[in-house]
Amino acid sequence: IQIGEQFECYAYTTIAYGRLAAIYLREGNLSKASENTRRFLMLSEQYNHRYYIRFKPLFASVLKFAAESGVSVEFTKDMMSYGGYTTERVFIHTMGSFYIASVFEREKPVKIRTQKARELLAYLLLHRNGVTREQIFSDLWEDSEADITRLFHTRRGEIRRAFESLGSKNPILHEKGVYRLNMEEIICDYDIFRQAADEFRQHSESEKAKKVVTCYTGRYLDNLEALWAESTRLSLEDMFLEAAEALMEYYRNTGERSKAIELLRRTASSYYGHRYEIE
């Protein structure tokens, strides 16, 4: 990279930035991965260095990271299509309000017509290994006196149309007697949060605690009644509070009083254990 930039010879330099981004991703250094991913894509676009992006074993993780992080949005979309990557098109937001959106415009919810269709999608998202139709009917339509089979297929159609509006195929598969969600084109904040929480529990560092706290943007499926999700809500809330407790202790020790108070206020509505005195 240094020699290439010194002599303004960017062919191998561009490739090197992409490989360096992949290395940082493998090591879990997201800030360095982001920095090198941006440089890799910027040079690829500027000098039309595109062909090697087809080599998926080398650059698949980098393109995926770029799509998830919103790096060089339009160029990343073009390159994933050009390289024949399975493109993740749909972002599902579960922490707080439940909605779906484009991966590249995550703050713009796409409408799914009925509340029950949204609940069905959330239910299948939680039951990744698949669930029988009878169990779905029991958990989602237990007290209904309507034609549940007709309602079920109607709600499936609403989900399919919402995904198709984002350029994605029907996400609901029916295989071997169970219904499940095809996750190939889906990114979900629930998965991002769980990964951050697992990393924090393995290494209780302040930066990992910050990531957990940042990823927890609200109570799981907060705008859905979804009684079947209550145990998951409590479990995720406990993960958040565990990280928040460690982070508040870190802020106290470093004298960052305002950050500690802000975090304490955020956790006050759900935390009934230890009290913290901010000195």
Side-chain angles (χ1 to χ4, degrees), residues 131-145:
V131 62
T132 64
R133 186 167 65 174
E134 291 72 23
Q135 189 60 52
I136 295 172
F137 288 2
S138 175
D139 287 340
L140 271 63
W141 282 281
E142 181 180 11
D143 299 324
S144 176
E145 297 180 0

Side-chain angles (χ1 to χ4, degrees), residues 1-274:
I1 287 172
Q2 291 173 349
I3 294 172
E5 292 192 333
Q6 180 182 350
F7 293 100
E8 297 184 351
C9 181
Y10 290 107
Y12 291 111
T13 298
T14 303
I15 297 173
Y17 270 118
R19 293 303 301 137
L20 194 55
I23 291 169
Y24 281 127
L25 282 173
R26 190 165 60 244
E27 294 177 349
N29 190 334
L30 298 186
S31 62
K32 287 290 187 180
S34 179
E35 176 185 328
N36 284 276
T37 297
R38 289 180 187 279
R39 188 69 174 154
F40 167 61
L41 293 174
M42 185 197 76
L43 291 173
S44 296
E45 183 174 18
Q46 182 176 351
Y47 294 102
N48 201 30
H49 295 153
R50 303 185 177 208
Y51 180 76
Y52 47 76
I53 289 177
R54 290 179 178 269
F55 298 102
K56 295 179 185 179
L58 297 181
F59 300 113
S61 63
V62 179
L63 269 292
K64 182 175 185 293
F65 176 72
E68 292 176 351
S69 305
V71 176
S72 301
V73 173
E74 292 303 322
F75 184 68
T76 298
K77 289 169 66 176
D78 290 345
M79 288 304 95
M80 293 189 81
S81 176
Y82 170 77
Y85 292 86
T86 298
T87 307
E88 291 163 322
R89 303 175 186 273
V90 180
F91 174 68
I92 301 184
H93 188 280
T94 66
M95 309 301 289
S97 296
F98 179 83
Y99 65 83
I100 71 169
S102 165
V103 164
F104 299 101
E105 295 181 294
R106 300 185 185 188
E107 304 301 321
K108 295 183 178 180
V110 169
K111 184 177 181 180
I112 299 177
R113 193 173 72 83
T114 65
Q115 181 89 343
K116 189 57 75 172
R118 292 192 290 274
E119 186 178 354
L120 173 59
L121 177 58
Y123 184 85
L124 293 173
L125 183 65
L126 189 60
H127 296 82
R128 302 286 177 89
N129 293 328
V131 62
T132 64
R133 186 167 65 174
E134 291 72 23
Q135 189 60 52
I136 295 172
F137 288 2
S138 175
D139 287 340
L140 271 63
W141 282 281
E142 181 180 11
D143 299 324
S144 176
E145 297 180 0
D147 183 345
I148 299 176
T149 300
R150 181 181 62 81
L151 290 176
F152 171 63
H153 289 297
T154 300
R155 303 308 168 231
R156 285 179 63 199
E158 292 173 14
I159 294 169
R160 174 181 56 79
R161 287 190 290 276
F163 272 68
E164 287 175 348
S165 74
L166 292 170
S168 178
K169 59 193 174 189
N170 183 7
I172 301 178
L173 303 179
H174 185 216
E175 300 172 334
K176 299 180 180 179
V178 299
Y179 291 88
R180 69 176 182 85
L181 208 59
N182 182 356
M183 297 296 294
E184 284 185 354
E185 297 182 316
I186 296 171
I187 296 172
C188 179
D189 64 343
Y190 169 85
D191 296 337
I192 296 170
F193 174 81
R194 287 298 303 262
Q195 181 179 348
D198 289 343
E199 291 175 357
F200 167 71
R201 285 181 168 176
Q202 292 174 15
H203 304 284
S204 303
E205 302 165 358
S206 61
E207 287 303 314
K208 295 187 183 300
K210 286 179 186 177
K211 185 175 180 181
V212 175
V213 169
T214 300
C215 289
Y216 192 84
T217 56
R219 193 165 182 261
Y220 182 65
L221 306 184
D222 200 34
N223 62 338
L224 296 179
E225 184 176 351
L227 297 178
W228 45 266
E230 192 60 27
S231 62
T232 302
R233 287 186 179 116
L234 295 174
S235 175
L236 298 182
E237 189 173 52
D238 285 344
M239 294 176 189
F240 161 66
L241 292 169
E242 183 180 341
E245 179 179 347
L247 190 54
M248 277 191 282
E249 189 66 25
Y250 170 79
Y251 286 148
R252 291 184 64 187
N253 292 337
T254 58
E256 298 176 83
R257 184 175 182 273
S258 62
K259 290 183 179 180
I261 292 174
E262 180 182 352
L263 184 54
L264 182 58
R265 286 172 177 163
R266 184 176 166 190
T267 60
S269 62
S270 58
Y271 190 75
Y272 299 102
H274 297 89

